[in-house]
Amino acid sequence: LFQPSEKMPPIALRRMKADQLEGLPRKIEHPIEVDMPRFQASEYQKSVVRARAMKEGSSPSDSMLRILHELRMISLHPTKPDLGGHDLASYAAESARLKQTLEILTQIREKGEKALIFLESLEMQSFLASAIQHKFGLSERPYRIHGGVKGADRQAYVNSFQQKPPGFDVMILSPKAG
């Protein structure tokens, strides 16, 4: 897709930050594989079964898009981000990603560092900001940058986050807006 052929230009163009900006640190990835808890895995499997049934039937293509969205949401957490009488630890225990995120944030806090969390779901962003403030005793909720935040406010949040004194803090960003 990114290479021209003898007769055609490339179908897609892609720019990488590393190719455009000098001095960026080397990107380091730390993949973490964690099994889903039983309930989360069960809900995920139910969606996969529905997707397979749609594939064999004649469902409209938008139904498959809904299933893909559902799978993405279940991979975050199998239920809506509302504690609904549960404590954070038991709610987080139902989601491999949420539980691992809170464990990683605990390690980051112990080092006195700041963290950026990229999260697409606005509903989960709001929940996570409150949960982080409560769990880690922050004086204010972590900043959230998403499509609904105006450009000037985004920059003000970034400036404030960067100018805070050293120590633990978190900012939550939508991948596109961030």
Side-chain angles (χ1 to χ4, degrees), residues 152-178:
D153 292 336
R154 291 179 194 196
Q155 191 59 54
Y157 292 168
V158 169
N159 292 345
S160 177
F161 183 76
Q162 290 178 333
Q163 292 169 1
K164 285 185 179 179
F168 179 70
D169 202 1
V170 177
M171 183 185 292
I172 302 171
L173 307 101
S174 297
K176 291 178 185 174

Side-chain angles (χ1 to χ4, degrees), residues 52-100:
R52 286 186 179 138
M54 283 183 195
K55 184 179 176 188
E56 294 167 6
S58 57
S59 287
S61 62
D62 68 327
S63 296
M64 189 57 75
L65 291 175
R66 277 195 291 274
I67 290 287
L68 289 173
H69 179 73
E70 184 179 300
L71 289 169
R72 290 176 66 198
M73 293 299 104
I74 292 170
S75 76
L76 286 175
H77 200 288
T79 60
K80 292 247 183 227
D82 175 23
L83 289 180
H86 298 101
D87 66 300
L88 178 59
S90 60
Y91 184 74
E94 295 176 341
S95 165
R97 284 174 114 180
L98 181 56
K99 183 179 179 196
Q100 192 66 42

Side-chain angles (χ1 to χ4, degrees), residues 72-168:
R72 290 176 66 198
M73 293 299 104
I74 292 170
S75 76
L76 286 175
H77 200 288
T79 60
K80 292 247 183 227
D82 175 23
L83 289 180
H86 298 101
D87 66 300
L88 178 59
S90 60
Y91 184 74
E94 295 176 341
S95 165
R97 284 174 114 180
L98 181 56
K99 183 179 179 196
Q100 192 66 42
T101 297
L102 293 174
E103 289 175 10
I104 291 169
L105 286 174
T106 299
Q107 295 167 9
I108 291 170
R109 181 180 187 200
E110 289 170 0
K111 293 178 181 178
E113 298 175 342
K114 296 179 182 178
L116 300 176
I117 299 175
F118 290 89
L119 178 60
E120 191 170 340
S121 167
L122 295 180
E123 198 173 28
M124 186 59 85
Q125 281 184 12
S126 179
F127 165 79
L128 190 57
S130 291
I132 289 169
Q133 180 186 13
H134 176 73
K135 178 174 176 55
F136 297 104
L138 299 177
S139 60
E140 58 186 26
R141 287 178 69 172
Y143 291 123
R144 293 174 48 219
I145 296 179
H146 51 77
V149 178
K150 295 178 183 170
D153 292 336
R154 291 179 194 196
Q155 191 59 54
Y157 292 168
V158 169
N159 292 345
S160 177
F161 183 76
Q162 290 178 333
Q163 292 169 1
K164 285 185 179 179
F168 179 70

Side-chain angles (χ1 to χ4, degrees), residues 19-80:
D19 296 337
Q20 304 298 318
L21 299 173
E22 291 183 24
L24 286 177
R26 185 174 63 87
K27 179 178 179 180
I28 301 171
E29 295 184 17
H30 301 279
I32 300 171
E33 292 187 26
V34 180
D35 291 334
M36 287 182 179
R38 185 171 291 143
F39 177 66
Q40 185 178 26
S42 171
E43 293 300 304
Y44 195 92
Q45 185 59 34
K46 287 176 190 175
S47 289
V48 169
V49 168
R50 277 197 303 282
R52 286 186 179 138
M54 283 183 195
K55 184 179 176 188
E56 294 167 6
S58 57
S59 287
S61 62
D62 68 327
S63 296
M64 189 57 75
L65 291 175
R66 277 195 291 274
I67 290 287
L68 289 173
H69 179 73
E70 184 179 300
L71 289 169
R72 290 176 66 198
M73 293 299 104
I74 292 170
S75 76
L76 286 175
H77 200 288
T79 60
K80 292 247 183 227

